[in-house]
Amino acid sequence: MVLAQLRPVMDHDAGRAAQLLPTLLAFVLADGHYDRTAEALFIGKTTLKYRLGKMAERFGIDAKNADTRFELRLAFELLALIETRRESDQWDNGPVRPHLH
């Protein structure tokens, strides 16, 4: 589920200065509120709308849709659990497993 929802954006962000994944996460956490998201990211609403539009156009992610935001939130929560588990495994069992992206 994590890869199905987030992989296109993760792949896009790899090696690029412009990071779309933090924008997507902030928008999801703000439950689709433009003002709160823009404020949290220290960007203007126009920039936020541009980034969201870019994700919709390139990856088919319509973050304005409540059902899509719900699925994205689950994916982000699962990713956080995976990362926590990976960190725990590093301390408990030696080397870390390969990273998702």
Side-chain angles (χ1 to χ4, degrees):
M1 175 182 191
V2 172
L3 293 178
Q5 295 293 321
L6 302 177
R7 180 138 205 174
V9 182
M10 293 168 115
D11 288 346
H12 171 272
D13 285 2
R16 287 194 169 94
Q19 300 288 301
L20 296 178
L21 198 63
T23 300
L24 188 58
L25 175 59
F27 192 69
V28 168
L29 292 177
D31 198 30
H33 293 274
Y34 290 100
D35 292 329
R36 288 194 312 210
T37 305
E39 185 177 309
L41 295 172
F42 303 101
I43 61 174
K45 280 185 2 182
T46 303
T47 301
L48 173 61
K49 289 179 180 182
Y50 170 78
R51 291 178 185 177
L52 293 172
K54 188 175 182 179
M55 284 184 268
E57 180 183 307
R58 284 193 176 174
F59 314 121
I61 299 172
D62 182 10
K64 295 179 285 182
N65 179 287
D67 291 335
T68 301
R69 281 196 312 275
F70 176 76
E71 292 172 1
L72 289 167
R73 182 151 196 151
L74 285 176
F76 278 118
E77 292 292 336
L78 288 171
L79 182 60
L81 287 172
I82 291 166
E83 292 295 329
T84 299
R85 176 61 191 232
R86 182 175 293 125
E87 290 171 7
S88 174
D89 286 351
Q90 181 180 14
W91 293 105
D92 296 340
N93 301 322
V96 179
R97 289 187 208 109
H99 198 61
L100 283 178
H101 7 122

